[in-house]
Amino acid sequence: MVKENRMRDPSSLGDAIDLALDLPDWHRRHVVARAFLRAMPCIFSEPEPDTEQDNPVTQQHLLNLYRAGLLLAVAAELGPVAADTESLERLRLPGEGARLDICISAKNAARSAVVTTDFSTERCSELCLADAFGAIAKYESENDLDLNITFRKVAGDAMRGDISASSNPETLSVSNPLFSSLVVFPTMDRMFTGAGYPKISSGRTAGPDFLSTKFWHDWYWGILAGEPLDWELQRRIALIDDAIWEAGPEAVAQEIERIERLFDLEQEIAALKDMLPLRSALSSTSLIGDNGGPPLDDGVQRAVRGDFVLVWDQIEDLEAEIAKPEPSPGRLKTIAKTLWDVSLRIAAYCGGKIDLALTEASKEAGKAVVKWGAPIAAASLASQNESIQQVAKAIWAFVKTLPPG
């Protein structure tokens, strides 16, 4: 419960942090997450090294920092997560300055985001906030930022706005933009799609290219602009095993690719199931004709009905296979081939190509256009068939992320 003697709009950052710690748990998590996420660009500061020990930012440093931000965002939006963070405990950059402060903040960000009995969530939140804003102040001094308003003031005002936000969870969310108005502030270039070095808004080099995939670009831009990636997808990536994170950026990129392709496949399966005729309708002895006329039970009608039953069988097998810890690439390829063959036949039945290069024989078969009655409507057949194809394509994309076998 918020203490009554606290000012609702404290002028000092210290008072703002104290007030944040008095907020209900869910509110505090959002304040901490959004404050840390605003400070993440501080990792890109590049002061001149004072000693030979002042090493530059490495790919692993960047990866760990982004992992901390991801954990914190997911915990704020979905609740604390059960994850190991041993690699984050060892996160440290030599020397002083914004980079060191934000790395220390990242450790406490992770501690406050996970389910643990080892650390005080409130204390970790306090340290995360203090070091994040310390990093912001140092970032300004280390980099001659050409801003209409100082980065520190913009971030501080945004934090105070978060603290004063309504008690309605929907008004304070990591799904909302980090800044209330469009300002010039350091961030990664949202248009980056390939190899090389990402840029910050000033055009300076942001740091080493640890992005074997553009996931991190898309993730941070989405957080920044209030257009986050799907939260279930973010949750799955946040829960990647510690051993994979410690293996380095390439291993993490491969695992993210596998998770993304599996997630895409699951989405396509769900969409197809919503579009398919119900099994109960397909198992009936005949389908009613147009306008309540006689049953449509000719050869083509029976063939299409049988193919839809086959699709349901394949989908059930597919869901069982991808639920396994180690899905069989061979079995998945077989299911994809069966679905593709069904799609080819259905395209031929209704006389449409539907994104398929039909054989001459298929084109001939396609002349037998069927009049569809309930529950299979002619207007929906093309979209159903397109969804079958999308599942097949998603299977093949997922298989590419699996080890041979």
Side-chain angles (χ1 to χ4, degrees), residues 51 135 157 257 260 280 284 334 340 344 383 389 401:
T51 69
D157 287 348
E257 177 73 6
E260 287 182 311
S280 58
S284 61
T334 298
W340 193 259
L344 187 80
S383 58
Q389 294 175 46
T401 70

Side-chain angles (χ1 to χ4, degrees), residues 373-387:
I376 305 177
S380 65
L381 187 61
S383 58
Q384 290 166 347
N385 202 31
E386 181 180 0
S387 192

Side-chain angles (χ1 to χ4, degrees), residues 8 11 16 26 79 90 142 174 177 244 246 261 345 360:
R8 291 307 303 166
S11 57
W26 71 267
R90 293 189 288 273
E142 294 168 356
V174 188
I244 296 177
E246 291 186 1
R261 297 293 77 79
R345 290 197 296 270
E360 290 302 315

